[in-house]
Amino acid sequence: MSILIKIAEIEAEMARTQRNKATAHHLGLLKAKIAKLRRELITPKGGGGGAAGEGFDVAKTGDARIGFVGFPSVGKSTLLSNLAGVYSEVAAYEFTTLTTVPGVIRYKGAKIQLLDLPGIIEGAKDGKGRGRQVIAVARTCNLILIVLDVLKPLGHKKLIEKELEGFGIRLNKHPPNIGYKRKDKGGINFTSTCVQTELDQDTVKSILAEYKIFNADITLRSDSTADDLIDVVEGNRVYVPCIYVLNKIDQISIEELDIIYKVPHCVPISAHSRWNFDDLLEKMWDYLKLVRIYTKPKGQLPDYTSPVVLPDEHTTVEDFCLKIHKSLMKELKYALVWGASVKHNPQKVGREHVMIDEDVIQLVKK
């Protein structure tokens, strides 16, 4: 029996089951079974994998990577060529782009790589079309732009979300606040720091038993669902910010545009007429959460043209040195920092000092 048939049968059983406290335990078990089968779909058990698909993964360059995901013929290639000046074949029929097409833009001093991924078809997470490789590249992106056609129903948004979720990509979500630690003995130790509406000790035990885990510490620090627990146990989920780009707004009325603007995480644009690109670039910058640090050689003015760009969560002086070269850390005596992260300008700081956007730094060597 193929994996897809097994998944379909379990999904049918879940649809038949009424949702209440008595069945929560059973539903949790079924969700865990589906998660395990999905993992087998993504990484087949066979030893030597076949050819990975020509021209799919592209070497990562620049400070961040943005992937364009969407159904065929929604205007991803037009958007890429108008944003980055890269020629990605554009035509009026579906499935024009067959491999990943990279492009690079410079925005606010940061070098951002854009990837035009081939169109996703329904059932991509089950290995249809080139879907598996497309979504595997999407997992490596810092931000995903889901490009949608305004004229087609918003149901497409749900379909793409479902495809990405099936591959372990969580859009605009934070990792669940669950402590999970495996042990050698001692059984399941379950603690909860707040009221749980869905999970109780028996449900947690049965989900872990499905994964053959019988000794572990589980701490629930927020009201969690069975899906959250499965995500933590699987441990291969990626949490990626996402912007919905609604293309082809040159073909709708102002009233419709007003309604579209109320959709969260959404930017309406026209890739063909280059409308509203400023808004899109600004939102991309906000979601990427990048920090620019300017360098200042001794006795000279700061270089404001090419900042060192760091991700939001790694902005210490040590991270800055490692980004330039790992040997710098050994030679560093201290650093002088100007900007909003220090109390007075310049301030002498050590390697643990956390900098914020548009600080200026000068390194002093031993």
Side-chain angles (χ1 to χ4, degrees):
M1 190 198 259
S2 79
I3 297 177
L4 288 178
I5 297 170
K6 284 182 190 169
I7 290 178
E9 282 181 358
I10 298 175
E11 280 178 342
E13 190 180 338
M14 281 172 72
R16 285 197 304 271
T17 311
Q18 280 190 319
R19 286 168 188 273
N20 55 41
K21 272 202 173 145
T23 61
H25 177 87
H26 177 60
L27 281 170
L29 252 176
L30 294 177
K31 282 178 181 169
K33 279 184 179 160
I34 283 192
K36 277 177 72 180
L37 289 168
R38 286 234 187 284
R39 189 178 59 199
E40 276 178 41
L41 260 185
I42 302 170
T43 49
K45 281 182 176 168
E54 283 303 301
F56 250 84
D57 205 19
V58 177
K60 205 165 184 175
T61 59
D63 302 304
R65 181 181 228 187
I66 299 179
F68 294 13
V69 177
F71 282 116
S73 294
V74 288
K76 300 190 293 296
S77 300
T78 314
L79 179 58
L80 178 77
S81 50
N82 284 347
L83 267 179
V86 172
Y87 182 69
S88 174
E89 198 172 323
V90 181
Y93 53 86
E94 304 208 326
F95 295 109
T96 326
T97 308
L98 294 173
T99 59
T100 309
V101 180
V104 174
I105 54 167
R106 279 201 171 274
Y107 187 66
K108 295 193 177 180
K111 196 172 160 195
I112 299 168
Q113 184 182 35
L114 305 176
L115 295 182
D116 176 17
L117 301 173
I120 283 188
I121 52 173
E122 214 177 321
K125 65 179 185 298
D126 308 327
K128 279 189 195 162
R130 271 278 180 88
R132 190 182 291 171
Q133 293 109 315
V134 173
I135 301 181
V137 176
R139 276 178 72 99
T140 65
C141 295
N142 304 90
L143 169 67
I144 290 177
L145 295 190
I146 293 185
V147 187
L148 300 162
D149 190 335
V150 165
L151 307 170
K152 291 183 182 163
L154 268 180
H156 282 187
K157 170 173 175 275
K158 288 251 176 352
L159 284 173
I160 291 182
E161 281 170 356
K162 195 176 169 205
E163 298 298 327
L164 294 174
E165 292 263 322
F167 252 81
I169 297 175
R170 302 285 174 264
L171 302 173
N172 293 327
K173 283 184 187 166
H174 294 291
N177 199 353
I178 297 177
Y180 164 67
K181 188 179 172 193
R182 287 188 77 160
K183 315 181 284 191
D184 296 335
K185 52 180 192 263
I188 301 290
N189 185 6
F190 173 81
T191 45
S192 167
T193 57
C194 56
V195 180
Q196 298 294 325
T197 51
E198 188 175 318
L199 290 177
D200 55 14
Q201 190 155 1
D202 293 338
T203 312
V204 169
K205 276 187 175 171
S206 67
I207 289 174
L208 291 176
E210 179 62 40
Y211 284 97
K212 300 192 170 49
I213 296 169
F214 303 104
N215 303 300
D217 291 334
I218 296 284
T219 313
L220 304 178
R221 301 190 190 91
S222 61
D223 185 6
S224 308
T225 63
D227 290 327
D228 291 341
L229 180 62
I230 290 165
D231 282 356
V232 170
V233 175
E234 283 273 351
N236 60 355
R237 306 295 188 237
V238 280
Y239 296 85
V240 186
C242 167
I243 299 174
Y244 303 101
V245 180
L246 289 172
N247 191 14
K248 308 189 186 177
I249 55 167
D250 47 352
Q251 300 172 24
I252 59 169
S253 66
I254 295 286
E255 289 77 18
E256 288 169 310
L257 195 55
D258 286 342
I259 297 167
I260 287 168
Y261 250 111
K262 291 176 183 151
V263 180
H265 309 295
C266 169
V267 182
I269 62 152
S270 166
H272 185 68
S273 313
R274 302 186 180 216
W275 292 354
N276 209 16
F277 275 14
D278 311 346
D279 205 7
L280 175 63
L281 286 166
E282 196 52 52
K283 198 151 197 160
M284 274 159 47
W285 181 260
D286 288 347
Y287 278 56
L288 282 171
K289 293 196 169 76
L290 297 175
V291 172
R292 293 161 292 174
I293 308 294
Y294 300 112
T295 54
K296 180 186 179 302
K298 193 172 179 185
Q300 293 174 27
L301 287 170
D303 176 13
Y304 287 117
T305 53
S306 49
V308 174
V309 181
L310 300 170
D312 187 35
E313 60 273 11
H314 299 294
T315 58
T316 61
V317 174
E318 187 167 359
D319 294 321
F320 171 83
C321 292
L322 291 174
K323 171 93 187 211
I324 296 170
H325 198 278
K326 46 181 184 283
S327 67
L328 258 180
M329 249 352 271
K330 296 177 190 138
E331 301 167 5
L332 182 73
K333 191 174 179 189
Y334 61 87
L336 293 171
V337 173
W338 291 255
S341 69
V342 289
K343 292 197 172 89
H344 49 83
N345 291 327
Q347 186 171 324
K348 196 169 157 181
V349 297
R351 62 171 66 183
E352 277 87 37
H353 175 74
V354 177
M355 297 179 285
I356 55 178
D357 195 24
E358 302 208 75
D359 276 1
V360 174
I361 187 170
Q362 178 184 326
L363 301 177
V364 179
K365 294 183 178 177
K366 286 173 185 165

